[in-house]
Amino acid sequence: KKTIIANIIEIVSEKVFLFSGLANSVIFFGMAVVQFWGASYMKNVLEEDNDFVLLYVFSAICITGPPAGVILGGLVGNKIGGYTVKPAIVYCTIFCGVSCIFAVIVTFFKSVAFFGVTVWLYFLFSGAMIPLITGIILSSLPARLRGDGFSVMNFLLNLTGNLPAASAYGAIYEATKYTHDTWAMMFTMDYNCIGFVFVVIAMIFRLRKKDEEEPKQLHEQEQPAA
């Protein structure tokens, strides 16, 4: 039996696991930024002072967008044969690319309606990645490492995704002397493009793998739905 440190080194040495995990973390970073600071951006930059819009409409966007995306990603995954087939990483890359487009343009216009629609679509396509990329991350490892791999994946996701999201936005906001929520939102949302780079790298390594290297035991099982 190998030590836990040896297992972790072997896990992060798997390129598909590493770059897919980093891409997943970046996506969660972007979603956490919007969920934490979106209402502030609407109030300070878009000058929306209607409490109904700030509370209920924005909450509805945050609550419905990601789950709708997860359902979409699950349906696509089932349609193509599960997350172990090579097209799964291609669809992840497409979903990530589209979500990055909406992340980049979210600050283009000072319109509450435009912000709401683009944020919802960003949540939709970001959420669509989750069921596929989670399966890809874990199936990239041999069966004996998947338990530790799941822990490493969640550690990376929280350490580099959820944890620094709100603080990074706040740091940029303070650095601009509290005058430009726009810069903070723009910089933190443009960071999603790095996630796209990571998922493209993961796709390249995944497509280079030979079919016989794919986990056979996963092919013998029915793929889980969303």
Side-chain angles (χ1 to χ4, degrees):
K1 292 184 179 180
K2 293 185 177 180
T3 64
I4 184 66
I5 299 299
N7 284 346
I8 291 174
I9 293 173
E10 186 175 352
I11 288 167
V12 297
S13 298
E14 169 53 53
K15 297 179 179 62
V16 176
F17 176 93
L18 179 62
F19 288 106
S20 297
L22 290 173
N24 198 31
S25 297
V26 172
I27 292 300
F28 272 86
F29 176 95
M31 291 196 292
V33 164
V34 177
Q35 289 166 345
F36 194 90
W37 288 101
S40 171
Y41 178 84
M42 292 171 68
K43 185 175 183 178
N44 296 331
V45 176
L46 305 181
E47 299 179 349
E48 177 58 60
D49 56 3
N50 188 320
D51 290 339
F52 178 83
V53 174
L54 291 174
L55 178 59
Y56 296 106
V57 174
F58 183 69
S59 295
I61 291 171
C62 292
I63 291 170
T64 62
V70 171
I71 293 171
L72 172 62
L75 292 174
V76 170
N78 287 338
K79 186 71 174 179
I80 63 176
Y83 49 73
T84 59
V85 299
K86 288 185 176 179
I89 190 67
V90 177
Y91 278 95
C92 271
T93 306
I94 294 171
F95 288 146
C96 188
V98 176
S99 73
C100 285
I101 292 173
F102 289 114
V104 169
I105 68 173
V106 75
T107 59
F108 273 22
F109 300 102
K110 300 300 183 286
S111 164
V112 174
F114 179 83
F115 178 79
V117 171
T118 52
V119 164
W120 192 87
L121 290 171
Y122 165 72
F123 281 150
L124 176 72
F125 288 100
S126 296
M129 286 182 59
I130 294 173
L132 291 175
I133 202 164
T134 302
I136 290 168
I137 290 170
L138 294 179
S139 64
S140 66
L141 300 172
R144 62 184 176 81
L145 291 176
R146 286 188 197 130
D148 292 340
F150 187 78
S151 299
V152 172
M153 180 187 71
N154 280 282
F155 179 78
L156 282 175
L157 190 151
N158 286 288
L159 181 66
T160 62
N162 290 325
L163 180 63
S167 300
Y169 185 105
I172 298 172
Y173 183 50
E174 289 181 2
T176 55
K177 307 301 181 184
Y178 304 97
T179 59
H180 248 301
D181 260 284
T182 304
W183 290 359
M185 182 64 73
M186 180 178 66
F187 289 145
T188 50
M189 293 304 285
D190 288 354
Y191 178 62
N192 283 269
C193 296
I194 296 177
F196 179 70
V197 173
F198 285 145
V199 79
V200 167
I201 295 173
M203 179 182 68
I204 293 171
F205 284 116
R206 177 67 187 89
L207 295 179
R208 284 180 175 177
K209 280 191 173 183
K210 297 179 180 179
D211 290 338
E212 58 266 23
E213 293 178 358
E214 297 177 3
K216 294 181 180 179
Q217 63 270 32
L218 285 177
H219 283 293
E220 296 169 357
Q221 300 172 4
E222 183 180 352
Q223 296 295 317

